[in-house]
Amino acid sequence: MATTELHKPGVARPPRPTAKRKPVTFGRIALYVTLSAVSLLMVVPFVWMVLTSLKTPVEIASQDAGLLPEHWDFSNYTEALKAAPFATYARNSFIIAISHTVLNLVIASMAGYSLARIRFRGSEVIFYLFIAALMIPTYTKVLPEFLIVRFMPLAGGNDLFGQGGSGWLDTWWALIVPGAVTPFAVFLFRQFYLDLPVELEEAARLDGLGEFRIYARIMTPQVKPAIITVALLTFESSWNNFLWPLLVTRTDSLRVIQVGLSVFRTENGPQWHFLMAGTTLATLPMVVLFLIGQRYFVQGFATAGLK
Amino acid sequence: MELKRRSLLAAIGAGTAAAALSGCGTGSTAAGSADGPAEGEITLLTPIYENANGKTLLEKEILGGFRKKYPDVKVNVDYTTYAQLNEKITTGMAGGLLPDVLMMGVGWIPPFAAKKAIAPLPEKFATAHDYEKRVLEPSRYDGKLYALPVVLDTRIVVYRKDHFAEAGIKKTPANWAELRAVAKQLTKDGRIGFDPFSIDLRQCWETFLFANGGQLFSADGKKVLFTDNRGVEALQFFKDLIKDGSASYAKKTALGEPANVQTGKASMMMTSSALWEQVRLQNPELLKDDKLGAFVLANRKPAMLQGGTLVTQSASSKHPAAARALVQYLATPESILGAAKQRGSVPGLKDLNESGYVKENKFVDLSLQNMSAACSEGGTPAWMEIREKIKPTLEPAIVGDQSAKDAIAELGRLAEAAIGRM
């Protein structure tokens, strides 16, 4: 009511309390100078990458070349894009990254919720198994995963025992399913769900909500930092994945952007001007995503694991 | 990165063994007969023909010619990088789905032939063209021909003629003592006399080992031979150069970075014949002013490491006649010359010795004139495991306090264990 009255026409709005400025101290100046220097250091490789992408091979190799290109060679971008079907690669990377992100958010949040909020026999053991799974190096899983994909029953001409065909190799299934859920995401979601007050859950139960609706409508909207963090990390790792797509695909129509960029890393020396142009383009989506979600992303890491 | 790669290779090795034991390896694919007509859809796995030019060369020019000759064969190309080639082949083997035609490096034939992953080729292929005598040696295993060479990559010493002239040095070093003395003389004002480290340490040490009269393995691939004095001296020579100040591991350049002789930071360096192509793109004035020369490393004998890319056929191909036809076609002079030009590599056919490309690229010309000094790495079925261990085992002797003798002994133990497991 009070709010309505305050917004009546003609009623003067009381002045907003101004934020009290913190005094400028030597420590504060030193902090800003340090942070600015560190930020600059972090940005330098990206700036260098963009500027290198605009130089000629002769200039890149030259000892006397400065940071800025002498001749801004924008044709590196068009030439790099001609070198391979990058539009197809980018589309494929995007489909895979989005699929991984959505699947990971849905499945890992459900798993995290169950482990955090539902009491069932063996939940502790399952949680510890997830923790153990966090410790398995990605590279040691490559071969078993490859064999699972290759011998997938009733797929790609395989019989019920996975023999006779090529299974999921060179298909979208091979690119999407194996990387769909990560133990880290399950762990992160569990930690966030644990933090939520039990009263929220009890109130929802008293209102007659079932378990799935409590998860979907009451609890999950409270863990936005976890959702953003998992989404960004999943998208990033999926977008940057190189080895797995290289191993399970053969045709250009299923190759991803990181595999596409490898055409510039030749055995006898990378074509730096093209590689930097291609990498700049491949980096842009990630930069944009991080700029959009950075606040939640930091919050997600800052509060993960706290109770 | 390397740790991850080694972990993966170890895992793949273990996984391949498990897959083979459980019977889900290559046995699941029935190989056809090579005597029938060349027809069907086949896959070519290649770590070369990279970048836009390479793809155009392979898919339009080379495979265009192949399609005309064999209209009933469809070729799908699977591009990979040399860094991931072993993973790609090994996972394919474990899954029983190897590409029909594979391109691989020198030294790789015995490991994959011993596992029966690749098929022997008819001996008449060896005489179809005029091969330099020892070019086909890395293509053989157990007396049989398994592959044909596409391009060779030799390791030679490139030097700055202008630095030599300034220092009054009239001839290139004929042995290590001279090399060390010249390197010392040329080291000044922040410039190093000799840079052996800007190529892969494994290949560099092997070149020195061969130049010192040493060998990696016995002819049957069952005995380790590099653990004698010749191998130790080869590694000790690097340490001596560093002690003199005329070589520096810290000044090694990364792949694709302008090499130290290009930038004038070194007067001599170990490099591959492909450097010519890099200089042509990055420092054309060095070639125009004739500032670069090259010679073959020598001590007890001249030696030039011969790497390269070979083409071979899967043992489990369902269209072996088509696969064999493609192997043969990729090794014709026309295909070879195109690939060599694109990579700045050495064509291994005498038919091409007088070609314009060979005469223009002085490093390639020098390599072809010295093919009698060429030596190859590998020679044992355990090579794929051993090759991954050479660099990390020798590096501590170069950057740290470990003695050359201890590092070589350690590498010998690792190699013997790997051979013992075969």
Side-chain angles (χ1 to χ4, degrees), chain B residues 305-337:
Chain B
L305 184 78
Q306 175 206 315
T309 303
L310 317 171
V311 60
T312 183
Q313 179 190 342
S314 160
S316 56
S317 171
K318 286 181 179 168
H319 304 286
R324 187 173 285 183
L326 183 59
V327 167
Q328 222 178 342
Y329 196 84
L330 290 171
T332 54
E334 304 77 52
S335 305
I336 285 178
L337 186 60

Side-chain angles (χ1 to χ4, degrees), chain B residues 97-113:
Chain B
L97 276 180
L98 265 187
D100 303 86
V101 178
L102 307 98
M103 298 183 100
M104 50 178 70
V106 164
W108 294 40
I109 296 301
F112 290 110

Side-chain angles (χ1 to χ4, degrees), chain A residues 59-108:
Chain A
E59 209 181 337
I60 291 171
S62 169
Q63 291 299 289
D64 311 320
L67 185 64
L68 294 175
E70 271 179 39
H71 309 287
W72 296 71
D73 196 351
F74 289 94
S75 67
N76 285 342
Y77 282 83
T78 49
E79 292 298 316
L81 288 172
K82 274 189 215 162
F86 276 99
T88 308
Y89 296 159
R91 181 205 65 187
N92 294 347
S93 288
F94 197 71
I95 291 172
I96 296 163
I98 287 286
S99 308
H100 280 164
T101 307
V102 171
L103 287 168
N104 207 11
L105 284 178
V106 172
I107 300 172

Side-chain angles (χ1 to χ4, degrees), chain B residues 201-263:
Chain B
L201 180 58
R202 182 188 84 237
Q203 294 167 343
C204 188
W205 170 73
E206 284 167 359
T207 312
F208 276 79
L209 169 76
F210 297 141
N212 205 23
Q215 291 176 68
L216 283 171
F217 308 103
S218 57
D220 61 4
K222 289 180 181 165
K223 267 191 188 166
V224 173
L225 298 182
F226 61 74
T227 42
D228 64 7
N229 276 346
R230 292 161 200 243
V232 176
E233 284 165 10
L235 188 59
Q236 183 60 44
F237 188 72
F238 297 158
K239 289 175 76 85
D240 292 341
L241 286 174
I242 293 170
K243 198 172 150 196
D244 293 346
S246 49
S248 168
Y249 200 66
K251 289 187 178 172
K252 73 198 283 281
T253 53
L255 179 70
E257 198 180 334
N260 281 327
V261 289
Q262 273 178 269
T263 55

Side-chain angles (χ1 to χ4, degrees), chain B residues 396-414:
Chain B
I398 290 167
V399 298
D401 292 334
Q402 193 182 21
S403 72
K405 197 176 171 185
D406 288 349
I408 293 292
E410 172 66 14
L411 183 60
R413 279 192 291 275
L414 293 170

Side-chain angles (χ1 to χ4, degrees), chain A residues 63 143 150 246 249 255 268, chain B residues 15 78 88 91 95 263 343:
Chain A
Q63 291 299 289
L143 187 73
R150 157 69 182 89
L246 182 77
T249 59
R255 287 273 154 97
N268 291 336
Chain B
D78 186 358
K88 190 92 180 163
T91 47
T263 55
R343 300 173 59 76

